């Protein structure tokens, strides 16, 4: 179904997430679509997904950042951290229980 009403998936992954206003609109759209995705659904944004997790001496390498929350709380959490931030580009947006796993700790 083109409206996503019959998606039989547990996790959604969106590539090329950038502007926070667009991310917020996407979160609200998913919440409004019905039962599967609620404002309490876990989600995460991974910025610079291929980047290092720590700074190196050169400072030229992009540093990976991860924000976790729910569809209802993620964007306000990002904005609270930095009130001037308008973008998280380049980033991946993950929705569903999978984003609660911390693969970096294994």
């Amino acid at each position: 179904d083109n409206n996503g009403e019959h998606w039989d998936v547990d996790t959604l992954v969106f590539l090329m997430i950038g502007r926070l206003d667009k991310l917020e609109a996407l979160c609200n759209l998913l919440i409004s679509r019905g039962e599967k995705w609620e404002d309490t659904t876990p989600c995460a944004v991974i910025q610079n997904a291929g980047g290092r997790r720590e700074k190196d001496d050169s400072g030229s390498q992009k540093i990976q950042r991860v924000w976790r929350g729910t569809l209802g709380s993620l964007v306000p959490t990002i904005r609270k951290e930095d009130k001037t931030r308008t973008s998280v580009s380049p980033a991946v947006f993950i929705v569903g229980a999978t984003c609660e796993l911390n693969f970096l700790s294994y």
Side-chain angles (χ1 to χ4, degrees):
D1 184 282
N2 288 338
N3 292 324
E5 294 171 8
H6 302 290
W7 292 347
D8 188 24
V9 297
D10 295 321
T11 300
L12 300 174
V13 178
F14 297 89
L15 306 177
M16 305 302 290
I17 293 297
R19 291 178 21 197
L20 285 180
D21 61 333
K22 298 289 187 179
L23 177 59
E24 186 171 45
L26 179 56
C27 289
N28 290 334
L29 177 65
L30 290 171
I31 292 168
S32 73
R33 287 290 179 183
E35 300 171 15
K36 182 127 186 150
W37 314 109
E38 301 173 345
D39 63 343
T40 58
T41 301
C43 60
V45 168
I46 304 170
Q47 182 185 50
N48 298 314
R52 298 173 65 90
R53 288 183 283 153
E54 298 176 6
K55 290 187 179 184
D56 61 10
D57 292 335
S58 72
S60 63
Q61 178 69 36
K62 298 286 187 183
I63 303 300
Q64 185 181 103
R65 297 279 315 269
V66 179
W67 292 273
R68 296 175 195 271
T70 65
L71 286 175
S73 72
L74 185 65
V75 173
T77 297
I78 294 170
R79 285 187 172 138
K80 183 178 180 182
E81 179 183 292
D82 180 353
K83 292 181 182 4
T84 63
R85 181 183 295 277
T86 59
S87 176
V88 292
S89 183
V92 176
F93 177 48
I94 304 156
V95 180
T98 302
C99 71
E100 293 180 311
L101 300 174
N102 186 1
F103 292 112
L104 299 176
S105 67
Y106 294 103

